[in-house]
Amino acid sequence: RKNTKRVPSFRKLLRTSQIKLDNKLKNKQYKQKSAAKKYRKEQKKLREAVRDAISRKPFPLEECKKKQVARKWEEKEEEDALPLDMMDEDDLKLMEDLAQRASFLTRDLSSNEPVHVKKRKHESVIEKYEKVPRRLQTEPEKELIHLLPIKDKSGIIPQAVEKPVVNVAHDEEEDTEDMEEAEDFNEEPLPVLTPEEMAAQRRQKLQERKMHIAALASAILSEPDSNIKKLKELRAMLMEQDPNVAVIVRKLVMVSLMEIFKDIAPSYKIRPLTEAEKATKVKKETQKLREFEEGLVSQYKFYLENLEQTIKDWKQRKLKKSNVISLKAYKGLAEVAVKCLCELLVALPHFNFHNNIIVLIVPLMNDPSKMISELCVEAVKKLFKQDKLGYASLGVVKVISGLVRGRNYDVRPEVLKVFLHLRIKEVELQKDSEDIAPKKKFMTYKEKRKNLSRMQRKWRKAEEKLERELLEAEASESKEKKLKLHTETLNIVFVTYFRILKKAQKSPLLPAVLEGLAKFAHLINVEFFDDLLIVLHSLIASGDLSYRESLHCVLSAFHILSGQGDVLNIDPMKFYTHLYKTLFSLHAGGTNEDIGIVLQCLDVMFAKRRKQVSQQRALAFLKRLSILALHVLPNSSVGILATNRIFMQTFPKMDLLLDNESQGSGVYLPELDEPEHCNAQNTALWELHLLQRHYHPTVQKFASHLIAGAPTEGSGALPLDLSQRSATELFETYCMKGMTFNPPVASVTPRRKDTFLQTDSFVDEELNKQLQQHISETVPHKPLDFAKHLKESSLA
C-alpha cells in the first residue's frame, strides 16, 4: 500500500519545531519530577521503618496478668471438667502432668519465640534486648579500579583491581615519630658563636643567596619561554625567613625581578584568551607562546601584589606575627618597592596592569616622606615627557584629579606641578574630522573613463583602495586619536585648575595653578576668556598673592590674549600697570628666579603684541628696566639688556633716550606708577654708561651695543652666540647657581721671587739691609690690656 502521508515542508518544520521541543522538554521534566517524587516516597518509608525498629522496645510480662489468666483458666476448667470420681487414677495423673507442662494455652502469645524453645529461667527480656546489636558491623566498601575486559571463548570477562587504601593512622604515627625526633634534636644545645663567626656565617649565607638569585635570573633571561616557571621560584625568595639575611635578600629579589620583567616583557599588552580560542587546536609554537604569556602575566601580577603589600604594611605600621623583619627595616624595603614600581611605570607603559601601578604611585606623590614623594614625582615627569600618544598621561591625570578632589585640595604643590611636563601642544578646537584627517585627491569616474584604459582603471582602483586603507590605518587615525586624548587630558587639567580657583583661592596650590594656566592658556576655549581674566584681575587686586603668584597671573592673562584672544576686544592696561609698578620689588640677591618670569611676561606683552602697545608705554618700560639692570646679578642684567635690545629693534623712536634733548613738555617722573603718564621721552639712558664699566664682560658688551643703537651689523653688532639667543636663554646660561663665573676668569700666574722689583731700585742699600733685618726678626706678641689703657685715658 502506498504511503499517502505528505512529508511536512521546511517552513512547517520551522513553524512547529519550537512547539515540539517545548513539549519534549515538558515531558522530560515531568518524568524527572515523578521519578524524584517516587524516590522520595521510598526513602521516607525506609526511614520510617528504621525509626520504628529502633524505637520498638520489648516490655517485660507482668506476673499479675499471668495470675489472672491462670485463675480464669482454672475456673473454666473446673466448670468444664468432668467429675473426678468418674476418672481413673491413671487418667488423673496424666492430666496433672500435662497441666504442669508448658503448652500453647498457657504460653504468652505476645512473645516471638517458637513454641519448642527451652525456657531460660534466669534471663530477663531486657537483657535479651541489650545483647541484640544496634548496628550492622559492615566493612567499608572497597573502591575498584576497572580495567580493560578480557574476551574469551565464553564471552567478555570484566577485570577490576582494588584501589590501595592509604593507612592514615600509620602515616600519622610516622609523622608524630618524626616530630618527636625533631623535638629531641632541637632540645640539643646549639653551639655558641662569636660575633666574628656570626658575621662570617652571615656573609656565607648572603653569598649563597646571591649566587642562587643570579643563576635563576640568568636562566630566565637566556631562555624566557622554557624557564618561565623559574620566575615563581625567584619570586618565592621574597618571603625569605632567615632573619640574618632577610632584608638584603628581599631587596635583591625585588630589583632582580624588576630588571627581568623590563627585559622579557613584550612590546604589546597580553589579553586573556577566550573560551573559543582555548578550545581550538593550535601549533606547538603557538601553544608554547600562549603558556609563556600566561605565566608571565600571572607572575607579574603576583610580583606587583607583593610590592603593594610591602608598601601597605609599612604605611599601616603593621607586622605579621611570622615576620622576621623589624618595623625599622621595613622602611628600606618599602623604599626599594617604590623604586621598582617607578621604574616599571616608566619602562612598561604599554604592558598589563599599568593603570594599577598608576593608582599605587600617584597617592605616594603626596607622601610625608620626602624621598618617596620625590621618587614618584620624578617618575611621573619622565612618563609625561616620553609619552607620545597620550594614553598613560590621560590615566595619570585622571588619578591626580581624583586625588586632589578627594583630599579636599590638601595636597602638596608638587603634585600639580607635574602637569607642566605634559607634552600637549595642540588640541581639537571644534574642527571637523575632515579638516584634521589628511586629504588625498582621487580621480573621479569620468576622468578615469576619459584618460585611462580598462586595465589601467582596474589597477588604479586597487591602488586607491590600498592607499585609503593605509591612510585610515596610519596617518588620520593616529592623529585623530592623539588629538582626542590630548583634548580629554587638557579638559581634566583645566577642570582641576578652575575648581581650585573657585573653591580654594587661599590654598598653597594656587601658584602651581597659575603657573599651569600660564603654560596652557593658549589652549583654553574662548568661552572662558572673559570670566578667567576677571578672576585673575580680582586675585591681583585682592593683595593676598605673593609677588611670584601675581607675576604668574599677569603671564596667564597675556598668554590668553596672545592666542585666540586676539579677536576679543579686551584692554589689558591694568596688567601692564601692575607689572610696571612691581618691577622694583624684584629680589636683587641670589633668589632672583622671578626675573625669568618677568622676562617671559615682557616677551608676551611687547614682542607678541607690538601693534597694541603705544610708544609712551614702551619708553617707560625701557627706562625702568635700565634702572633695574644696575641692581641685580649679572645674569639678570644680561637678560634685561637683551630685552631692551628687542625693544629698540621692535619699536621706532626708541633712540630718543640716547639723546640728551627733551621731547615735548614735561619732566620724567620715575616715582609715578602709570607708564603712559610718566614722560619717559624726556629722560636718557645714562645707566648704560655705568653698565659699560660692569665687572661682567657680557654686560659690558650689551651696554656698548645698546649705546651704539643696537645695530644688527657693523662694529657695534653683537656676536652670533649672543644675538641669536632669547633673553630667557641668556638668563639661564649665565646663571651663578653652581657658584661658577661664566665666562671663567683667567688664572693669574704667581710672580717669581727672583724677579726684579722696580721699587728695589729706589731704596738705599743700608736702608734695605735694615728693612730685611727688621722683617727677619721675630717680634714677641704681648697680650693687649685694653682696660689699662682705658683707665689711663680716663685719668688723663
Side-chain angles (χ1 to χ4, degrees):
R1 186 182 175 185
K2 189 178 180 181
N3 188 9
T4 57
K5 189 175 181 181
R6 291 181 63 186
V7 179
S9 64
F10 181 68
R11 291 181 179 276
K12 193 171 182 181
L13 284 172
L14 284 176
R15 193 165 55 251
T16 58
S17 59
Q18 189 61 39
I19 299 168
K20 288 183 178 181
L21 288 173
D22 293 341
N23 292 338
K24 283 183 180 181
L25 184 63
K26 287 178 182 177
N27 292 337
K28 189 177 180 181
Q29 290 175 353
Y30 177 73
K31 286 180 182 179
Q32 289 175 353
K33 286 180 182 178
S34 60
K37 193 173 180 181
K38 188 176 180 183
Y39 177 75
R40 286 198 298 272
K41 282 183 179 180
E42 290 176 356
Q43 291 294 322
K44 188 176 179 182
K45 286 180 181 179
L46 185 60
R47 285 196 297 272
E48 288 177 355
V50 172
R51 200 182 299 118
D52 292 343
I54 292 170
S55 63
R56 186 180 296 135
K57 293 181 180 180
F59 296 98
L61 297 174
E62 297 177 1
E63 294 180 359
C64 60
K65 289 185 178 180
K66 285 183 177 180
K67 290 177 181 179
Q68 288 176 4
V69 173
R71 284 175 187 171
K72 285 181 182 179
W73 278 104
E74 285 176 1
E75 289 173 0
K76 196 172 182 181
E77 284 176 357
E78 287 176 357
E79 290 175 1
D80 298 338
L82 294 171
L84 296 175
D85 54 353
M86 295 178 66
M87 294 180 66
D88 296 334
E89 291 181 3
D90 298 332
D91 296 333
L92 187 60
K93 286 181 180 181
L94 181 62
M95 291 293 291
E96 288 175 358
D97 292 337
L98 289 171
Q100 290 176 359
R101 291 179 185 177
S103 66
F104 72 94
L105 294 173
T106 59
R107 180 171 167 265
D108 184 18
L109 297 176
S110 63
S111 65
N112 296 324
E113 292 180 356
V115 180
H116 301 289
V117 174
K118 292 182 179 180
K119 289 185 180 179
R120 296 177 184 176
K121 295 178 181 180
H122 303 289
E123 190 176 8
S124 63
V125 182
I126 296 173
E127 290 175 354
K128 289 181 182 178
Y129 175 72
E130 288 295 336
K131 288 181 180 179
V132 176
R134 284 163 176 74
R135 291 181 184 175
L136 295 174
Q137 296 179 355
T138 56
E139 295 182 359
E141 293 183 1
K142 296 179 180 179
E143 295 185 17
L144 299 177
I145 299 174
H146 295 281
L147 304 177
L148 291 172
I150 298 172
K151 191 173 183 181
D152 199 1
K153 291 180 179 179
S154 58
I156 295 172
I157 305 169
Q159 300 289 320
V161 178
E162 292 182 5
K163 190 175 182 180
V165 180
V166 180
N167 195 350
V168 180
H170 182 64
D171 292 344
E172 289 178 357
E173 288 175 3
E174 288 181 355
D175 293 339
T176 52
E177 288 175 2
D178 294 339
M179 291 292 287
E180 288 172 1
E181 290 176 2
E183 287 175 3
D184 296 338
F185 179 74
N186 291 332
E187 286 174 2
E188 295 179 5
L190 294 171
V192 180
L193 300 175
T194 61
E196 291 80 6
E197 291 175 347
M198 290 175 67
Q201 188 180 11
R202 181 177 178 275
R203 282 195 296 271
Q204 184 182 358
K205 286 182 181 178
L206 195 57
Q207 188 64 26
E208 289 174 0
R209 302 292 196 283
K210 285 181 179 178
M211 293 300 293
H212 188 49
I213 292 170
L216 289 173
S218 60
I220 294 166
L221 291 175
S222 59
E223 293 181 1
D225 297 345
S226 55
N227 294 326
I228 194 66
K229 291 183 180 179
K230 291 189 178 180
L231 266 177
K232 186 177 180 180
E233 186 180 350
L234 183 58
R235 190 177 56 80
M237 295 182 73
L238 285 172
M239 298 294 113
E240 177 66 43
Q241 295 300 320
D242 192 344
N244 293 326
V245 295
V247 179
I248 298 178
V249 169
R250 292 187 185 188
K251 288 181 180 178
L252 290 173
V253 173
M254 282 181 188
V255 178
S256 303
L257 281 170
M258 180 262 294
E259 293 294 339
I260 288 169
F261 283 122
K262 282 169 63 176
D263 285 342
I264 68 174
S267 59
Y268 55 87
K269 189 174 182 179
I270 300 171
R271 63 173 182 83
L273 298 174
T274 60
E275 294 296 330
E277 288 174 340
K278 289 179 182 178
T280 54
K281 290 183 179 180
V282 292
K283 296 180 181 178
K284 287 184 179 179
E285 292 82 3
T286 310
Q287 185 63 28
K288 190 176 180 181
L289 179 62
R290 284 182 177 181
E291 290 174 359
F292 164 71
E293 290 177 347
E294 188 177 355
L296 177 64
V297 170
S298 63
Q299 293 303 319
Y300 187 57
K301 178 186 175 185
F302 292 140
Y303 171 64
L304 293 178
E305 287 175 353
N306 288 333
L307 296 181
E308 181 185 8
Q309 193 59 44
T310 304
I311 297 169
K312 280 185 178 178
D313 290 344
W314 171 69
K315 293 288 288 180
Q316 297 171 1
R317 304 294 190 269
K318 285 183 180 179
L319 283 179
K320 299 174 183 177
K321 293 180 180 178
S322 61
N323 214 327
V324 294
I325 299 175
S326 63
L327 189 61
K328 191 175 181 181
Y330 235 92
K331 184 181 179 182
L333 269 180
E335 287 176 356
V336 174
V338 172
K339 285 180 183 177
C340 294
L341 285 171
C342 292
E343 287 288 331
L344 293 172
L345 178 77
V346 178
L348 302 176
H350 58 277
F351 198 55
N352 299 52
F353 309 113
H354 190 256
N355 289 333
N356 303 71
I357 300 175
I358 291 171
V359 172
L360 278 175
I361 290 294
V362 168
L364 293 175
M365 294 167 64
N366 195 39
D367 195 79
S369 175
K370 189 176 180 182
M371 181 181 177
I372 288 178
S373 63
E374 285 178 355
L375 279 173
C376 298
V377 168
E378 290 300 320
V380 173
K381 286 180 182 178
K382 285 181 185 176
L383 181 66
F384 282 163
K385 287 177 183 177
Q386 72 178 23
D387 186 23
K388 295 180 180 179
L389 191 57
Y391 281 113
S393 300
L394 178 59
V396 175
V397 168
K398 282 181 178 179
V399 180
I400 291 176
S401 178
L403 176 72
V404 172
R405 191 177 181 184
R407 296 282 178 89
N408 198 16
Y409 313 106
D410 185 18
V411 296
R412 301 177 64 176
E414 288 80 6
V415 177
L416 279 185
K417 283 183 180 178
V418 296
F419 287 163
L420 300 175
H421 299 271
L422 285 167
R423 293 182 58 176
I424 299 177
K425 295 181 180 178
E426 57 177 346
V427 292
E428 286 183 342
L429 298 172
Q430 297 178 353
K431 291 183 179 180
D432 298 332
S433 58
E434 296 177 0
D435 299 332
I436 297 169
K439 294 181 179 179
K440 183 171 178 65
K441 291 184 178 180
F442 296 107
M443 295 179 70
T444 60
Y445 179 72
K446 288 184 179 179
E447 290 175 350
K448 288 177 185 177
R449 289 293 298 267
K450 186 177 180 181
N451 301 324
L452 303 175
S453 64
R454 185 177 179 183
M455 199 66 185
Q456 287 175 336
R457 288 199 301 270
K458 190 174 181 181
W459 277 103
R460 180 60 65 89
K461 186 178 180 181
E463 287 176 2
E464 288 180 358
K465 185 180 178 182
L466 182 61
E467 286 175 0
R468 283 194 183 95
E469 289 176 357
L470 290 172
L471 286 172
E472 289 174 3
E474 293 176 5
S476 61
E477 186 180 1
S478 61
K479 190 174 181 181
E480 284 178 10
K481 277 186 178 180
K482 188 176 179 181
L483 284 174
K484 284 180 181 178
L485 289 170
H486 284 184
T487 307
E488 189 177 354
T489 305
L490 207 60
N491 285 341
I492 297 170
V493 171
F494 283 139
V495 165
T496 307
Y497 285 165
F498 293 158
R499 278 178 186 157
I500 295 171
L501 283 176
K502 185 178 179 182
K503 298 180 180 179
Q505 290 188 356
K506 295 184 179 180
S507 169
L509 300 176
L510 192 61
V513 170
L514 295 172
E515 199 171 349
L517 285 173
K519 181 173 182 181
F520 300 116
H522 62 286
L523 300 173
I524 300 176
N525 200 343
V526 184
E527 299 172 358
F528 303 111
F529 280 3
D530 289 335
D531 297 334
L532 194 56
L533 287 173
I534 292 168
V535 170
L536 293 174
H537 180 62
S538 64
L539 286 172
I540 293 173
S542 65
D544 297 331
L545 302 181
S546 65
Y547 183 64
R548 189 180 181 87
E549 292 169 3
S550 64
L551 288 177
H552 279 305
C553 281
V554 174
L555 186 60
S556 303
F558 280 100
H559 270 303
I560 291 170
L561 295 173
S562 63
Q564 304 174 63
D566 288 338
V567 297
L568 300 176
N569 190 15
I570 297 174
D571 184 18
M573 184 60 198
K574 47 197 172 186
F575 296 106
Y576 281 101
T577 305
H578 175 75
L579 183 62
Y580 182 79
K581 181 171 61 176
T582 57
L583 273 178
F584 287 150
S585 302
L586 283 167
H587 200 290
T591 57
N592 61 345
E593 296 176 356
D594 297 339
I595 295 277
I597 305 173
V598 171
L599 295 176
Q600 292 179 31
C601 290
L602 292 169
D603 181 51
V604 179
M605 294 163 70
F606 289 94
K608 295 181 180 179
R609 292 176 59 85
R610 64 190 72 179
K611 294 181 180 179
Q612 288 91 354
V613 179
S614 64
Q615 181 184 349
Q616 293 293 332
R617 196 181 303 174
L619 288 170
F621 270 93
L622 180 61
K623 176 62 179 175
R624 183 156 284 199
L625 288 172
S626 300
I627 297 171
L628 184 64
L630 292 172
H631 305 283
V632 292
L633 290 177
N635 60 330
S636 303
S637 297
V638 171
I640 290 171
L641 292 177
T643 304
N644 286 352
R645 176 175 174 268
I646 294 171
F647 272 59
M648 296 184 77
Q649 291 178 348
T650 303
F651 297 97
K653 299 182 182 180
M654 288 293 109
D655 54 352
L656 292 174
L657 299 180
L658 301 176
D659 192 0
N660 289 334
E661 295 182 5
S662 60
Q663 298 289 329
S665 60
V667 182
Y668 174 60
L669 303 173
E671 72 280 358
L672 194 66
D673 292 335
E674 292 291 335
E676 296 283 348
H677 308 292
C678 65
N679 299 322
Q681 73 276 5
N682 294 327
T683 185
L685 295 177
W686 52 266
E687 296 86 4
L688 296 178
H689 291 279
L690 293 176
L691 291 170
Q692 267 187 318
R693 296 174 177 83
H694 200 279
Y695 66 89
H696 200 282
T698 311
V699 177
Q700 295 176 13
K701 289 179 184 178
F702 267 99
S704 303
H705 173 68
L706 291 176
I707 287 174
T712 55
E713 51 186 28
S715 60
L718 284 175
L720 289 176
D721 60 333
L722 297 178
S723 61
Q724 291 182 352
R725 292 185 184 180
S726 65
T728 310
E729 289 178 3
L730 289 168
F731 169 73
E732 292 173 355
T733 303
Y734 293 99
C735 183
M736 301 173 67
K737 282 184 179 179
M739 300 303 293
T740 55
F741 194 78
N742 188 12
V745 180
S747 60
V748 180
T749 56
R751 188 176 56 181
R752 292 172 59 185
K753 290 183 180 179
D754 56 350
T755 54
F756 176 79
L757 292 174
Q758 191 177 3
T759 55
D760 293 344
S761 60
F762 299 103
V763 182
D764 191 33
E765 291 182 4
E766 294 180 3
L767 183 60
N768 194 10
K769 287 179 182 179
Q770 291 177 5
L771 288 172
Q772 293 295 333
Q773 185 181 357
H774 181 73
I775 291 169
S776 60
E777 288 179 358
T778 57
V779 181
H781 292 282
K782 297 180 180 179
L784 296 175
D785 191 357
F786 291 102
K788 181 181 177 181
H789 290 287
L790 285 172
K791 287 178 182 178
E792 290 176 357
S793 62
S794 63
L795 290 172

